[in-house]
PDB file of all heavy atoms in Angstrom:
ATOM      1  N   MET A 237     144.483  22.988  53.598  1.00  0.00           N
ATOM      2  CA  MET A 237     144.534  24.003  52.544  1.00  0.00           C
ATOM      3  C   MET A 237     143.118  24.381  52.148  1.00  0.00           C
ATOM      4  O   MET A 237     142.233  23.523  52.099  1.00  0.00           O
ATOM      5  CB  MET A 237     145.306  23.496  51.330  1.00  0.00           C
ATOM      6  CG  MET A 237     146.775  23.781  51.435  1.00  0.00           C
ATOM      7  SD  MET A 237     147.624  23.560  49.877  1.00  0.00           S
ATOM      8  CE  MET A 237     148.255  21.932  50.141  1.00  0.00           C
ATOM      9  N   VAL A 240     142.522  27.291  47.176  1.00  0.00           N
ATOM     10  CA  VAL A 240     143.576  27.213  46.162  1.00  0.00           C
ATOM     11  C   VAL A 240     142.891  27.578  44.853  1.00  0.00           C
ATOM     12  O   VAL A 240     142.017  26.853  44.378  1.00  0.00           O
ATOM     13  CB  VAL A 240     144.208  25.810  46.100  1.00  0.00           C
ATOM     14  CG1 VAL A 240     145.242  25.744  44.985  1.00  0.00           C
ATOM     15  CG2 VAL A 240     144.842  25.462  47.447  1.00  0.00           C
ATOM     16  N   GLY A 252     149.179  26.686  40.305  1.00  0.00           N
ATOM     17  CA  GLY A 252     148.559  25.970  41.419  1.00  0.00           C
ATOM     18  C   GLY A 252     149.512  24.977  42.032  1.00  0.00           C
ATOM     19  O   GLY A 252     149.681  24.908  43.247  1.00  0.00           O
ATOM     20  N   ARG A 253     150.180  24.219  41.187  1.00  0.00           N
ATOM     21  CA  ARG A 253     151.157  23.237  41.647  1.00  0.00           C
ATOM     22  C   ARG A 253     152.278  23.927  42.434  1.00  0.00           C
ATOM     23  O   ARG A 253     152.716  23.434  43.468  1.00  0.00           O
ATOM     24  CB  ARG A 253     151.731  22.508  40.435  1.00  0.00           C
ATOM     25  CG  ARG A 253     152.644  21.379  40.764  1.00  0.00           C
ATOM     26  CD  ARG A 253     153.194  20.745  39.484  1.00  0.00           C
ATOM     27  NE  ARG A 253     152.131  20.306  38.608  1.00  0.00           N
ATOM     28  CZ  ARG A 253     151.834  19.038  38.364  1.00  0.00           C
ATOM     29  NH1 ARG A 253     152.545  18.091  38.928  1.00  0.00           N
ATOM     30  NH2 ARG A 253     150.861  18.728  37.560  1.00  0.00           N
ATOM     31  N   GLY A 254     152.739  25.075  41.965  1.00  0.00           N
ATOM     32  CA  GLY A 254     153.808  25.809  42.641  1.00  0.00           C
ATOM     33  C   GLY A 254     153.400  26.298  44.016  1.00  0.00           C
ATOM     34  O   GLY A 254     154.170  26.193  44.980  1.00  0.00           O
ATOM     35  N   MET A 255     152.160  26.824  44.134  1.00  0.00           N
ATOM     36  CA  MET A 255     151.692  27.297  45.432  1.00  0.00           C
ATOM     37  C   MET A 255     151.507  26.133  46.401  1.00  0.00           C
ATOM     38  O   MET A 255     151.891  26.217  47.572  1.00  0.00           O
ATOM     39  CB  MET A 255     150.391  28.086  45.277  1.00  0.00           C
ATOM     40  CG  MET A 255     150.565  29.414  44.584  1.00  0.00           C
ATOM     41  SD  MET A 255     149.033  30.391  44.529  1.00  0.00           S
ATOM     42  CE  MET A 255     147.924  29.284  43.666  1.00  0.00           C
ATOM     43  N   VAL A 256     150.931  25.039  45.908  1.00  0.00           N
ATOM     44  CA  VAL A 256     150.715  23.865  46.755  1.00  0.00           C
ATOM     45  C   VAL A 256     152.048  23.319  47.250  1.00  0.00           C
ATOM     46  O   VAL A 256     152.200  22.995  48.430  1.00  0.00           O
ATOM     47  CB  VAL A 256     149.906  22.790  45.995  1.00  0.00           C
ATOM     48  CG1 VAL A 256     149.915  21.462  46.740  1.00  0.00           C
ATOM     49  CG2 VAL A 256     148.475  23.270  45.758  1.00  0.00           C
ATOM     50  N   SER A 257     153.027  23.245  46.388  1.00  0.00           N
ATOM     51  CA  SER A 257     154.348  22.763  46.770  1.00  0.00           C
ATOM     52  C   SER A 257     154.947  23.631  47.872  1.00  0.00           C
ATOM     53  O   SER A 257     155.516  23.125  48.849  1.00  0.00           O
ATOM     54  CB  SER A 257     155.266  22.742  45.547  1.00  0.00           C
ATOM     55  OG  SER A 257     156.565  22.349  45.908  1.00  0.00           O
ATOM     56  N   ARG A 258     154.818  24.942  47.737  1.00  0.00           N
ATOM     57  CA  ARG A 258     155.342  25.854  48.746  1.00  0.00           C
ATOM     58  C   ARG A 258     154.599  25.683  50.076  1.00  0.00           C
ATOM     59  O   ARG A 258     155.209  25.720  51.145  1.00  0.00           O
ATOM     60  CB  ARG A 258     155.274  27.289  48.247  1.00  0.00           C
ATOM     61  CG  ARG A 258     156.351  27.583  47.220  1.00  0.00           C
ATOM     62  CD  ARG A 258     156.065  28.864  46.426  1.00  0.00           C
ATOM     63  NE  ARG A 258     157.170  29.197  45.547  1.00  0.00           N
ATOM     64  CZ  ARG A 258     157.414  28.601  44.377  1.00  0.00           C
ATOM     65  NH1 ARG A 258     156.633  27.621  43.945  1.00  0.00           N
ATOM     66  NH2 ARG A 258     158.442  28.971  43.628  1.00  0.00           N
ATOM     67  N   CYS A 259     153.284  25.493  50.009  1.00  0.00           N
ATOM     68  CA  CYS A 259     152.507  25.262  51.230  1.00  0.00           C
ATOM     69  C   CYS A 259     152.950  23.974  51.914  1.00  0.00           C
ATOM     70  O   CYS A 259     153.144  23.943  53.136  1.00  0.00           O
ATOM     71  CB  CYS A 259     151.016  25.195  50.908  1.00  0.00           C
ATOM     72  SG  CYS A 259     150.262  26.783  50.496  1.00  0.00           S
ATOM     73  N   LEU A 260     153.128  22.914  51.145  1.00  0.00           N
ATOM     74  CA  LEU A 260     153.557  21.646  51.732  1.00  0.00           C
ATOM     75  C   LEU A 260     154.943  21.762  52.351  1.00  0.00           C
ATOM     76  O   LEU A 260     155.208  21.194  53.414  1.00  0.00           O
ATOM     77  CB  LEU A 260     153.518  20.534  50.686  1.00  0.00           C
ATOM     78  CG  LEU A 260     152.124  20.155  50.187  1.00  0.00           C
ATOM     79  CD1 LEU A 260     152.222  19.107  49.085  1.00  0.00           C
ATOM     80  CD2 LEU A 260     151.221  19.688  51.316  1.00  0.00           C
ATOM     81  N   PHE A 285     142.222  18.553  39.188  1.00  0.00           N
ATOM     82  CA  PHE A 285     143.506  19.162  39.538  1.00  0.00           C
ATOM     83  C   PHE A 285     144.187  18.378  40.649  1.00  0.00           C
ATOM     84  O   PHE A 285     145.349  17.993  40.545  1.00  0.00           O
ATOM     85  CB  PHE A 285     143.320  20.629  39.965  1.00  0.00           C
ATOM     86  CG  PHE A 285     144.563  21.229  40.577  1.00  0.00           C
ATOM     87  CD1 PHE A 285     145.619  21.613  39.778  1.00  0.00           C
ATOM     88  CD2 PHE A 285     144.684  21.385  41.954  1.00  0.00           C
ATOM     89  CE1 PHE A 285     146.794  22.141  40.335  1.00  0.00           C
ATOM     90  CE2 PHE A 285     145.833  21.914  42.528  1.00  0.00           C
ATOM     91  CZ  PHE A 285     146.884  22.295  41.711  1.00  0.00           C
ATOM     92  N   TRP A 286     143.457  18.143  41.756  1.00  0.00           N
ATOM     93  CA  TRP A 286     144.063  17.481  42.908  1.00  0.00           C
ATOM     94  C   TRP A 286     144.487  16.057  42.581  1.00  0.00           C
ATOM     95  O   TRP A 286     145.580  15.634  42.956  1.00  0.00           O
ATOM     96  CB  TRP A 286     143.129  17.541  44.113  1.00  0.00           C
ATOM     97  CG  TRP A 286     142.978  18.945  44.597  1.00  0.00           C
ATOM     98  CD1 TRP A 286     141.878  19.747  44.472  1.00  0.00           C
ATOM     99  CD2 TRP A 286     143.981  19.743  45.221  1.00  0.00           C
ATOM    100  NE1 TRP A 286     142.143  20.993  44.995  1.00  0.00           N
ATOM    101  CE2 TRP A 286     143.425  21.016  45.471  1.00  0.00           C
ATOM    102  CE3 TRP A 286     145.287  19.511  45.608  1.00  0.00           C
ATOM    103  CZ2 TRP A 286     144.132  22.050  46.075  1.00  0.00           C
ATOM    104  CZ3 TRP A 286     146.002  20.544  46.224  1.00  0.00           C
ATOM    105  CH2 TRP A 286     145.410  21.785  46.453  1.00  0.00           C
ATOM    106  N   ILE A 289     147.746  15.978  40.549  1.00  0.00           N
ATOM    107  CA  ILE A 289     149.037  16.263  41.191  1.00  0.00           C
ATOM    108  C   ILE A 289     149.318  15.302  42.348  1.00  0.00           C
ATOM    109  O   ILE A 289     150.150  15.574  43.208  1.00  0.00           O
ATOM    110  CB  ILE A 289     149.175  17.747  41.626  1.00  0.00           C
ATOM    111  CG1 ILE A 289     148.161  18.144  42.699  1.00  0.00           C
ATOM    112  CG2 ILE A 289     149.074  18.669  40.413  1.00  0.00           C
ATOM    113  CD1 ILE A 289     148.449  19.508  43.330  1.00  0.00           C
ATOM    114  N   TRP A 291     147.155  13.824  44.735  1.00  0.00           N
ATOM    115  CA  TRP A 291     146.354  13.742  45.952  1.00  0.00           C
ATOM    116  C   TRP A 291     145.336  12.627  45.790  1.00  0.00           C
ATOM    117  O   TRP A 291     144.839  12.377  44.694  1.00  0.00           O
ATOM    118  CB  TRP A 291     145.659  15.076  46.227  1.00  0.00           C
ATOM    119  CG  TRP A 291     146.608  16.147  46.674  1.00  0.00           C
ATOM    120  CD1 TRP A 291     147.638  16.669  45.941  1.00  0.00           C
ATOM    121  CD2 TRP A 291     146.628  16.808  47.918  1.00  0.00           C
ATOM    122  NE1 TRP A 291     148.296  17.619  46.676  1.00  0.00           N
ATOM    123  CE2 TRP A 291     147.694  17.735  47.896  1.00  0.00           C
ATOM    124  CE3 TRP A 291     145.844  16.727  49.065  1.00  0.00           C
ATOM    125  CZ2 TRP A 291     148.002  18.554  48.964  1.00  0.00           C
ATOM    126  CZ3 TRP A 291     146.140  17.561  50.133  1.00  0.00           C
ATOM    127  CH2 TRP A 291     147.206  18.453  50.078  1.00  0.00           C
TER     128      TRP A 291
END
Side-chain angles (χ1 to χ4, degrees):
M237 271 194 262
V240 177
R253 186 182 304 250
M255 291 185 302
V256 168
S257 177
R258 285 164 174 78
C259 287
L260 293 176
F285 169 76
W286 293 108
I289 64 169
W291 289 63

